Amino acid sequence: MKGGGAYINIGSSSSSINSSVSGSGSANGSKMTLGKSVKMYLTIFIATTCIYMVLYQYHMSREPFSPSEIGKPPLYIITPTYRRPEQLAELTRLGYTLKHVANLLWLVIEDANKTNPLVAHTLDRIGVPYEYMVAPMPEKYKQTKKAKPRGVSNRNRGLEYLRQHATEGVLYFADDDNTYDISIFEQMRYISKVGMWPVGLVTKTGVSSPIIRNGKLDGYYDGWIGGRKYPVDMAGFAVNIKFLRQRPHAQMPFKPGYEEDGFLRSLAPLANDEIDLLADECRDILTWHTQTKKNPPAQALNKTRYSNTNLEHIDKLLVRP
Ligand code: UGA
Ligand code: MN
């Protein structure tokens, strides 16, 4: 009878408190005791609920994205990358941009035969959901003295991944060195087939953009048209996944200068009025074709001179071509 004993104890102790405070009779006193303990339990209950709610609110405010953001159509960002001194810096900058975007999978695909642990470490540290894959440029293109089809095998590997793993949402090719305003990602989620928008810092015109006349797509503005049906930059369009999957042969050609055009043509049939015009109907610039200055490869570290120093550690973080 442990419980009963405890009950009696509580009752008697509160009754004694009760009598000492109010000085009322014993029958009346037990009623008051009951009332007081109900009040006490109610107070504890309300206080606990309040504390719980405050903690929950705090927890939710620490979560990067709200449940409504997580329910948005997914974005698949295909980023070609390759080994060079700037690589980790480019990936870090792009990665922290993407970290502001909910429900996104970052497909980082390196033009290499094997993955690089330094790249994987950088991606882990950034904390954006990612897949890191390799897709080397075919040898015949690597050897050529002419312009190379940069990032093409990488992007086609990304398309292959999407055909296997993605059913809905939107795909975007984000080169590792460009600059992106995060609002373009929110806009591209809702593209029904293909979406386009201006890209700054492209050719002598300073911008590559669809031309909109009377609310309709009416050609393209770009310093180099080159006989292209779609003279647009890689950073200036995105494609709906369902639409892509209805075109099982769509891919990017190994044709320098014509990668975007070739890929968009391979999405036929696609009528001009089926192209969504983003960035305030192409009146705004939200992506830029920035180019990073090439840096010379880091010289070898003098291992004798700097043995047992931090430089031995830093040296392992340098990407040498
Ligand atoms: C421009 C376009 O913006 C690219 O989308 C296009 O692929 C390229 O021209 C081209 O036609 O060759 P650009 O700034 O000149 O891009 O080229 P990079 O930034 O050097 O390369 C484009 C992407 O491919 C980058 O993400 C880069 O990391 C990757 N890349 C570059 C490779 O995967 N392998 C390479 O050997 C070079
Ligand atoms: Mn570039």
Side-chain angles (χ1 to χ4, degrees), residues 89-108:
E90 307 280 27
L91 291 172
T92 298
R93 186 175 40 188
L94 172 55
Y96 282 105
T97 296
L98 299 180
K99 204 167 179 177
H100 292 282
V101 187
N103 204 8
L104 170 152
L105 180 63
W106 189 17
L107 303 174
V108 179

PDB file of all heavy atoms in Angstrom, residues 89-108:
ATOM      1  N   ALA A  89      37.399  26.423 -53.617  1.00  0.00           N
ATOM      2  CA  ALA A  89      36.851  27.764 -53.366  1.00  0.00           C
ATOM      3  C   ALA A  89      35.528  27.940 -54.111  1.00  0.00           C
ATOM      4  O   ALA A  89      34.539  28.426 -53.552  1.00  0.00           O
ATOM      5  CB  ALA A  89      37.854  28.832 -53.793  1.00  0.00           C
ATOM      6  N   GLU A  90      35.489  27.523 -55.369  1.00  0.00           N
ATOM      7  CA  GLU A  90      34.262  27.648 -56.175  1.00  0.00           C
ATOM      8  C   GLU A  90      33.131  26.831 -55.546  1.00  0.00           C
ATOM      9  O   GLU A  90      32.004  27.306 -55.420  1.00  0.00           O
ATOM     10  CB  GLU A  90      34.480  27.134 -57.607  1.00  0.00           C
ATOM     11  CG  GLU A  90      35.669  27.728 -58.348  1.00  0.00           C
ATOM     12  CD  GLU A  90      35.410  29.097 -58.924  1.00  0.00           C
ATOM     13  OE1 GLU A  90      34.570  29.837 -58.386  1.00  0.00           O
ATOM     14  OE2 GLU A  90      36.072  29.443 -59.930  1.00  0.00           O
ATOM     15  N   LEU A  91      33.437  25.590 -55.183  1.00  0.00           N
ATOM     16  CA  LEU A  91      32.411  24.710 -54.624  1.00  0.00           C
ATOM     17  C   LEU A  91      31.900  25.239 -53.284  1.00  0.00           C
ATOM     18  O   LEU A  91      30.714  25.124 -52.973  1.00  0.00           O
ATOM     19  CB  LEU A  91      32.934  23.277 -54.483  1.00  0.00           C
ATOM     20  CG  LEU A  91      33.169  22.547 -55.806  1.00  0.00           C
ATOM     21  CD1 LEU A  91      33.878  21.223 -55.575  1.00  0.00           C
ATOM     22  CD2 LEU A  91      31.846  22.322 -56.562  1.00  0.00           C
ATOM     23  N   THR A  92      32.802  25.837 -52.517  1.00  0.00           N
ATOM     24  CA  THR A  92      32.399  26.394 -51.223  1.00  0.00           C
ATOM     25  C   THR A  92      31.429  27.557 -51.425  1.00  0.00           C
ATOM     26  O   THR A  92      30.360  27.617 -50.810  1.00  0.00           O
ATOM     27  CB  THR A  92      33.642  26.855 -50.430  1.00  0.00           C
ATOM     28  OG1 THR A  92      34.447  25.717 -50.180  1.00  0.00           O
ATOM     29  CG2 THR A  92      33.257  27.509 -49.116  1.00  0.00           C
ATOM     30  N   ARG A  93      31.757  28.438 -52.333  1.00  0.00           N
ATOM     31  CA  ARG A  93      30.888  29.601 -52.579  1.00  0.00           C
ATOM     32  C   ARG A  93      29.533  29.167 -53.103  1.00  0.00           C
ATOM     33  O   ARG A  93      28.498  29.599 -52.601  1.00  0.00           O
ATOM     34  CB  ARG A  93      31.583  30.543 -53.565  1.00  0.00           C
ATOM     35  CG  ARG A  93      30.840  31.847 -53.763  1.00  0.00           C
ATOM     36  CD  ARG A  93      31.627  32.777 -54.628  1.00  0.00           C
ATOM     37  NE  ARG A  93      32.265  32.034 -55.715  1.00  0.00           N
ATOM     38  CZ  ARG A  93      33.151  32.542 -56.557  1.00  0.00           C
ATOM     39  NH1 ARG A  93      33.498  33.793 -56.449  1.00  0.00           N
ATOM     40  NH2 ARG A  93      33.690  31.817 -57.503  1.00  0.00           N
ATOM     41  N   LEU A  94      29.526  28.279 -54.074  1.00  0.00           N
ATOM     42  CA  LEU A  94      28.249  27.814 -54.630  1.00  0.00           C
ATOM     43  C   LEU A  94      27.453  27.033 -53.574  1.00  0.00           C
ATOM     44  O   LEU A  94      26.248  27.210 -53.425  1.00  0.00           O
ATOM     45  CB  LEU A  94      28.503  26.942 -55.870  1.00  0.00           C
ATOM     46  CG  LEU A  94      27.287  26.222 -56.461  1.00  0.00           C
ATOM     47  CD1 LEU A  94      26.163  27.190 -56.784  1.00  0.00           C
ATOM     48  CD2 LEU A  94      27.686  25.444 -57.716  1.00  0.00           C
ATOM     49  N   GLY A  95      28.169  26.193 -52.831  1.00  0.00           N
ATOM     50  CA  GLY A  95      27.508  25.358 -51.825  1.00  0.00           C
ATOM     51  C   GLY A  95      26.771  26.183 -50.785  1.00  0.00           C
ATOM     52  O   GLY A  95      25.636  25.873 -50.417  1.00  0.00           O
ATOM     53  N   TYR A  96      27.394  27.267 -50.320  1.00  0.00           N
ATOM     54  CA  TYR A  96      26.725  28.079 -49.300  1.00  0.00           C
ATOM     55  C   TYR A  96      25.582  28.895 -49.891  1.00  0.00           C
ATOM     56  O   TYR A  96      24.668  29.284 -49.165  1.00  0.00           O
ATOM     57  CB  TYR A  96      27.729  28.942 -48.535  1.00  0.00           C
ATOM     58  CG  TYR A  96      28.477  28.117 -47.506  1.00  0.00           C
ATOM     59  CD1 TYR A  96      29.793  27.723 -47.707  1.00  0.00           C
ATOM     60  CD2 TYR A  96      27.824  27.666 -46.362  1.00  0.00           C
ATOM     61  CE1 TYR A  96      30.453  26.927 -46.790  1.00  0.00           C
ATOM     62  CE2 TYR A  96      28.479  26.866 -45.432  1.00  0.00           C
ATOM     63  CZ  TYR A  96      29.791  26.504 -45.650  1.00  0.00           C
ATOM     64  OH  TYR A  96      30.434  25.706 -44.744  1.00  0.00           O
ATOM     65  N   THR A  97      25.608  29.130 -51.196  1.00  0.00           N
ATOM     66  CA  THR A  97      24.433  29.728 -51.847  1.00  0.00           C
ATOM     67  C   THR A  97      23.298  28.713 -51.814  1.00  0.00           C
ATOM     68  O   THR A  97      22.169  29.024 -51.404  1.00  0.00           O
ATOM     69  CB  THR A  97      24.757  30.105 -53.316  1.00  0.00           C
ATOM     70  OG1 THR A  97      25.756  31.123 -53.315  1.00  0.00           O
ATOM     71  CG2 THR A  97      23.530  30.627 -54.044  1.00  0.00           C
ATOM     72  N   LEU A  98      23.608  27.483 -52.210  1.00  0.00           N
ATOM     73  CA  LEU A  98      22.576  26.437 -52.277  1.00  0.00           C
ATOM     74  C   LEU A  98      22.029  26.086 -50.899  1.00  0.00           C
ATOM     75  O   LEU A  98      20.916  25.571 -50.778  1.00  0.00           O
ATOM     76  CB  LEU A  98      23.133  25.188 -52.964  1.00  0.00           C
ATOM     77  CG  LEU A  98      23.598  25.362 -54.413  1.00  0.00           C
ATOM     78  CD1 LEU A  98      24.119  24.042 -54.966  1.00  0.00           C
ATOM     79  CD2 LEU A  98      22.460  25.889 -55.297  1.00  0.00           C
ATOM     80  N   LYS A  99      22.806  26.371 -49.865  1.00  0.00           N
ATOM     81  CA  LYS A  99      22.361  26.041 -48.507  1.00  0.00           C
ATOM     82  C   LYS A  99      21.132  26.848 -48.089  1.00  0.00           C
ATOM     83  O   LYS A  99      20.424  26.478 -47.160  1.00  0.00           O
ATOM     84  CB  LYS A  99      23.501  26.268 -47.523  1.00  0.00           C
ATOM     85  CG  LYS A  99      23.313  25.436 -46.275  1.00  0.00           C
ATOM     86  CD  LYS A  99      24.522  25.372 -45.413  1.00  0.00           C
ATOM     87  CE  LYS A  99      24.186  24.524 -44.190  1.00  0.00           C
ATOM     88  NZ  LYS A  99      25.336  24.352 -43.317  1.00  0.00           N
ATOM     89  N   HIS A 100      20.888  27.941 -48.786  1.00  0.00           N
ATOM     90  CA  HIS A 100      19.696  28.751 -48.492  1.00  0.00           C
ATOM     91  C   HIS A 100      18.445  28.210 -49.173  1.00  0.00           C
ATOM     92  O   HIS A 100      17.379  28.788 -49.032  1.00  0.00           O
ATOM     93  CB  HIS A 100      19.905  30.189 -48.983  1.00  0.00           C
ATOM     94  CG  HIS A 100      20.950  30.935 -48.213  1.00  0.00           C
ATOM     95  ND1 HIS A 100      20.710  31.472 -46.969  1.00  0.00           N
ATOM     96  CD2 HIS A 100      22.229  31.222 -48.507  1.00  0.00           C
ATOM     97  CE1 HIS A 100      21.797  32.068 -46.540  1.00  0.00           C
ATOM     98  NE2 HIS A 100      22.738  31.931 -47.457  1.00  0.00           N
ATOM     99  N   VAL A 101      18.590  27.152 -49.944  1.00  0.00           N
ATOM    100  CA  VAL A 101      17.471  26.666 -50.761  1.00  0.00           C
ATOM    101  C   VAL A 101      16.965  25.326 -50.218  1.00  0.00           C
ATOM    102  O   VAL A 101      17.754  24.392 -50.029  1.00  0.00           O
ATOM    103  CB  VAL A 101      17.915  26.516 -52.235  1.00  0.00           C
ATOM    104  CG1 VAL A 101      16.730  26.170 -53.122  1.00  0.00           C
ATOM    105  CG2 VAL A 101      18.598  27.795 -52.725  1.00  0.00           C
ATOM    106  N   ALA A 102      15.641  25.257 -49.988  1.00  0.00           N
ATOM    107  CA  ALA A 102      15.049  24.034 -49.417  1.00  0.00           C
ATOM    108  C   ALA A 102      14.835  22.966 -50.484  1.00  0.00           C
ATOM    109  O   ALA A 102      14.788  23.268 -51.680  1.00  0.00           O
ATOM    110  CB  ALA A 102      13.718  24.382 -48.761  1.00  0.00           C
ATOM    111  N   ASN A 103      14.684  21.733 -50.026  1.00  0.00           N
ATOM    112  CA  ASN A 103      14.340  20.598 -50.887  1.00  0.00           C
ATOM    113  C   ASN A 103      15.146  20.564 -52.188  1.00  0.00           C
ATOM    114  O   ASN A 103      14.581  20.682 -53.282  1.00  0.00           O
ATOM    115  CB  ASN A 103      12.834  20.598 -51.179  1.00  0.00           C
ATOM    116  CG  ASN A 103      12.351  19.196 -51.541  1.00  0.00           C
ATOM    117  OD1 ASN A 103      13.106  18.232 -51.429  1.00  0.00           O
ATOM    118  ND2 ASN A 103      11.122  19.090 -51.989  1.00  0.00           N
ATOM    119  N   LEU A 104      16.425  20.405 -52.017  1.00  0.00           N
ATOM    120  CA  LEU A 104      17.353  20.465 -53.154  1.00  0.00           C
ATOM    121  C   LEU A 104      18.346  19.311 -53.041  1.00  0.00           C
ATOM    122  O   LEU A 104      18.781  18.965 -51.948  1.00  0.00           O
ATOM    123  CB  LEU A 104      18.060  21.824 -53.087  1.00  0.00           C
ATOM    124  CG  LEU A 104      19.242  22.146 -53.969  1.00  0.00           C
ATOM    125  CD1 LEU A 104      19.281  23.649 -54.205  1.00  0.00           C
ATOM    126  CD2 LEU A 104      20.570  21.724 -53.372  1.00  0.00           C
ATOM    127  N   LEU A 105      18.661  18.711 -54.167  1.00  0.00           N
ATOM    128  CA  LEU A 105      19.748  17.722 -54.206  1.00  0.00           C
ATOM    129  C   LEU A 105      20.812  18.253 -55.152  1.00  0.00           C
ATOM    130  O   LEU A 105      20.529  18.578 -56.314  1.00  0.00           O
ATOM    131  CB  LEU A 105      19.236  16.348 -54.674  1.00  0.00           C
ATOM    132  CG  LEU A 105      20.320  15.258 -54.729  1.00  0.00           C
ATOM    133  CD1 LEU A 105      20.904  14.958 -53.345  1.00  0.00           C
ATOM    134  CD2 LEU A 105      19.751  13.974 -55.331  1.00  0.00           C
ATOM    135  N   TRP A 106      22.026  18.330 -54.638  1.00  0.00           N
ATOM    136  CA  TRP A 106      23.135  18.885 -55.413  1.00  0.00           C
ATOM    137  C   TRP A 106      23.927  17.720 -56.003  1.00  0.00           C
ATOM    138  O   TRP A 106      24.509  16.930 -55.256  1.00  0.00           O
ATOM    139  CB  TRP A 106      24.000  19.719 -54.474  1.00  0.00           C
ATOM    140  CG  TRP A 106      25.061  20.543 -55.137  1.00  0.00           C
ATOM    141  CD1 TRP A 106      25.155  20.895 -56.448  1.00  0.00           C
ATOM    142  CD2 TRP A 106      26.179  21.156 -54.468  1.00  0.00           C
ATOM    143  NE1 TRP A 106      26.260  21.685 -56.655  1.00  0.00           N
ATOM    144  CE2 TRP A 106      26.899  21.864 -55.463  1.00  0.00           C
ATOM    145  CE3 TRP A 106      26.631  21.178 -53.141  1.00  0.00           C
ATOM    146  CZ2 TRP A 106      28.062  22.583 -55.153  1.00  0.00           C
ATOM    147  CZ3 TRP A 106      27.781  21.894 -52.841  1.00  0.00           C
ATOM    148  CH2 TRP A 106      28.486  22.588 -53.836  1.00  0.00           C
ATOM    149  N   LEU A 107      23.920  17.633 -57.338  1.00  0.00           N
ATOM    150  CA  LEU A 107      24.664  16.575 -58.020  1.00  0.00           C
ATOM    151  C   LEU A 107      25.991  17.167 -58.486  1.00  0.00           C
ATOM    152  O   LEU A 107      26.036  17.920 -59.463  1.00  0.00           O
ATOM    153  CB  LEU A 107      23.861  16.037 -59.206  1.00  0.00           C
ATOM    154  CG  LEU A 107      22.463  15.502 -58.843  1.00  0.00           C
ATOM    155  CD1 LEU A 107      21.686  15.127 -60.108  1.00  0.00           C
ATOM    156  CD2 LEU A 107      22.555  14.308 -57.914  1.00  0.00           C
ATOM    157  N   VAL A 108      27.021  16.892 -57.737  1.00  0.00           N
ATOM    158  CA  VAL A 108      28.357  17.416 -58.056  1.00  0.00           C
ATOM    159  C   VAL A 108      29.079  16.334 -58.849  1.00  0.00           C
ATOM    160  O   VAL A 108      29.297  15.224 -58.348  1.00  0.00           O
ATOM    161  CB  VAL A 108      29.130  17.764 -56.769  1.00  0.00           C
ATOM    162  CG1 VAL A 108      30.521  18.278 -57.101  1.00  0.00           C
ATOM    163  CG2 VAL A 108      28.356  18.796 -55.952  1.00  0.00           C
TER     164      VAL A 108
END
